[in-house]
Amino acid sequence: MAEGYRAAAAQLGVVLRPMVEADYAFCEALYASTRLEELAPLGWPAEAVRQFLAQQHRAQHLHYQQHYAGAQWWIVESAGCPLGRLYVFEGASDIRIVDIALLPKARGQGIGGALIEGVQRHAAAQGKRVSIHAEKNNPARSLYFRLGFVVIDADRGAYDLLEWRPQGPADQ
């Protein structure tokens, strides 16, 4: 199933490998990198920010494991160095991108777009939709919209549910 994602990543010189327990610390740091800018205006001491983000990551990690049992948990890496993560859950009619995140140094290079397009190709081949929850202020939303996602549920607090549907016979 993941061959489509892996092929998309390989075109950009990155690989996907299954997440292992030893990747937890990297994923915690990755999570923090996606939230630091948001917390900066609060003026909290660095240790308070670190502890808060560690707690938030732990809660997110447990939530994902509980609600997306059977998902594929991928680490995105280049030359053996982790750059990000891609968590994907495949349901009967929908493929949910549970989470996609890249370190700041890996953003803006087309990696995220290529990974999402790989998921879309995989979904299209099976006649499935792709969905993702996105925070209303997430800068990646412009990428999602460029890739054909639309908001299907805007009443989810800080998040909207976005969906992409394949074109062709599956829609008829």
Side-chain angles (χ1 to χ4, degrees):
M1 172 166 108
E3 290 313 309
Y5 317 158
R6 287 182 166 161
Q11 292 177 350
L12 292 170
V14 298
V15 297
L16 294 177
R17 65 163 175 79
M19 180 182 173
V20 296
E21 191 172 324
D23 292 315
Y24 185 86
F26 164 74
C27 288
E28 184 177 290
L30 175 63
Y31 175 83
S33 79
T34 68
R35 303 280 312 274
L36 285 173
E37 186 176 313
E38 163 191 352
L39 296 177
L42 299 177
W44 291 357
E47 182 58 19
V49 170
R50 189 198 66 72
Q51 288 179 8
F52 174 75
L53 291 175
Q55 181 273 332
Q56 292 291 295
H57 174 259
R58 189 170 35 261
Q60 181 192 65
H61 183 75
L62 292 172
H63 174 83
Y64 287 167
Q65 289 189 326
Q66 178 182 1
H67 293 281
Y68 297 102
Q72 296 178 38
W73 315 101
W74 300 105
I75 297 296
V76 181
E77 61 180 34
S78 176
C81 295
L83 299 175
R85 66 185 186 184
L86 173 65
Y87 299 165
V88 180
F89 178 80
E90 188 159 349
S93 61
D94 174 76
I95 296 177
R96 170 71 50 94
I97 298 174
V98 176
D99 195 271
I100 182 169
L102 297 168
L103 290 173
K105 69 180 182 181
R107 296 176 195 153
Q109 299 177 29
I111 296 169
L115 293 172
I116 294 169
E117 287 174 330
V119 173
Q120 289 173 312
R121 281 192 298 277
H122 175 73
Q126 298 182 51
K128 293 183 178 182
R129 301 178 314 269
V130 178
S131 62
I132 187 170
H133 282 102
E135 284 185 300
K136 295 178 188 303
N137 64 349
N138 184 340
R141 288 170 68 100
S142 62
L143 169 64
Y144 304 148
F145 295 141
R146 218 172 34 249
L147 294 175
F149 284 83
V150 296
V151 175
I152 62 165
D153 188 351
D155 191 22
R156 295 192 178 247
Y159 294 86
D160 289 337
L161 180 60
L162 282 59
E163 183 180 81
W164 172 87
R165 291 179 177 257
Q167 301 299 312
D171 285 343
Q172 300 173 4

